[in-house]
Amino acid sequence: MADRIDVKTLDGSYPIIIARGLLSHINPAALGLNGQVALVSNTTVAPIYGEPLASALPNPSLITIPDGEHYKTLETVARLYSDFVAAGLDRSAVVVALGGGVVGDTVGFAAATYMRGVSFVQMPTSLLAMVDSSVGGKVGVDLPQGKNLVGAFKQPQQVIIDPDVLDSLPEREWRCGMAEIIKHGLLADEVLLELAQDYRVNIDEIIPRAIQVKVAVVEADPYERSIRAHLNLGHTFAHAIEQVSGYTWLHGEAVGVGLIAATLLSAQLRLCSPNLIELVESLIEDVGLPTRIDDLDPEAIWAAMATDKKWSHGRSRFVLLEGIGQPKIVNDVRKGDVIAVLEHIKDKDATQRRKDIRRLR
């Protein structure tokens, strides 16, 4: 049985198809992949899923890019343009991104700009990409100065999700995906927080529920002019942590601790109860994600935030929480308040941090 979620866009709609065995029993004609297809994956995923999938397509070109956030760059996009030309891709071709969020973002940006745009299909193979980055049409790459500073809106022709591929996903990547799922639960679906307690058992229910949270937001605000910014909960902290760490922190790991930081900041600004801190921290800890920033420098993290694309005219901008299902955008948060939060999650153990935050009240 397949789940299908249709995403309405300003130009029409596209389907998200979720079914076990989709990639191992691919039907190219049914999925619109019976013409010229450039299947782009990374060096980790291509041997496992890319090569078998390419052999099942009638007219494929299998292209690989290096694995890792370090390669989410304009240089990689330039290489893809050359590969597309060498493969003879024209405007009728379909570009398929097979991989995690880095593959989807990078390949999507190449598809959005090659010949001023060719059709694009997302085939996410990581949990994080399935529930978040493959949905909503945001594509792009990083610059040395910051994450996702170059990009575009490029709606996919479709998103094809086969949960069976999660069987080969490393445990660290499972945990990273759970960060975005917890985020979606905090924003709009408290049931996800309950399902997260036994996420491997509940994954077939978690995936469509988490996707539906994002779909509802991006349909209401496709170009992030208002409530779509709520999806950045924890991400102002997270993107800066990734950058300062030299991307040794994976995105989901940074989002997890970023959710704790955003909740701490919310309590410090008297927006939410300190009890919410304990809940968020326990959720992040229980799925095995880091809860401290260890040796990262709070001042360096604050400096990295200055290039965050969510800031405007140099004004700080954070998505915070007044409670579960109650996100709030707050501008002009003082540096001292942010540094205080970062210091609290730097070295102290969880119990001591909870006591400290209660004293902040």
Side-chain angles (χ1 to χ4, degrees), residues 116-139:
R116 297 191 177 91
V118 294
S119 294
F120 171 53
V121 171
Q122 289 267 23
M123 287 189 181
T125 60
S126 72
L127 181 57
L128 190 151
M130 288 178 183
V131 301
D132 188 61
S133 62
S134 67
V135 180
K138 278 188 177 181
V139 295

Side-chain angles (χ1 to χ4, degrees), residues 32-41 50 53-54 57-64 80-90 92-98 103 107-108 110-111 114 118-123:
L33 300 176
N34 52 340
Q36 187 182 31
V37 174
L39 180 63
V40 187
S41 191
L53 182 58
L57 298 175
N59 189 18
S61 298
L62 179 59
I63 298 167
T64 59
L80 285 173
Y81 294 150
S82 296
D83 290 336
F84 292 168
V85 172
L89 264 62
D90 59 26
S92 67
V94 177
V95 173
V96 176
L98 176 70
V103 172
V107 176
Y114 179 71
V118 294
S119 294
F120 171 53
V121 171
Q122 289 267 23
M123 287 189 181

Side-chain angles (χ1 to χ4, degrees), residues 141-197:
V141 296
D142 306 335
L143 295 180
Q145 296 88 347
K147 189 176 171 74
N148 295 329
L149 292 183
V150 177
F153 286 95
K154 172 67 173 176
Q155 299 295 350
Q157 177 179 297
Q158 59 186 315
V159 180
I160 298 170
I161 296 174
D162 182 353
D164 279 349
V165 304
L166 298 177
D167 292 341
S168 62
L169 200 67
E171 184 59 37
R172 188 182 183 190
E173 293 287 352
W174 272 88
R175 295 194 293 264
C176 286
M178 288 309 301
E180 293 288 356
I181 288 162
I182 290 169
K183 181 198 77 176
H184 288 180
L186 292 171
L187 287 173
D189 186 354
E190 197 166 355
V191 173
L192 283 170
L193 305 181
E194 300 170 13
L195 295 172
Q197 296 173 24

Side-chain angles (χ1 to χ4, degrees), residues 261-275:
T263 312
L264 284 163
L265 184 57
S266 300
Q268 186 163 309
L269 298 180
R270 300 183 181 274
L271 295 175
C272 73
S273 165
N275 293 333

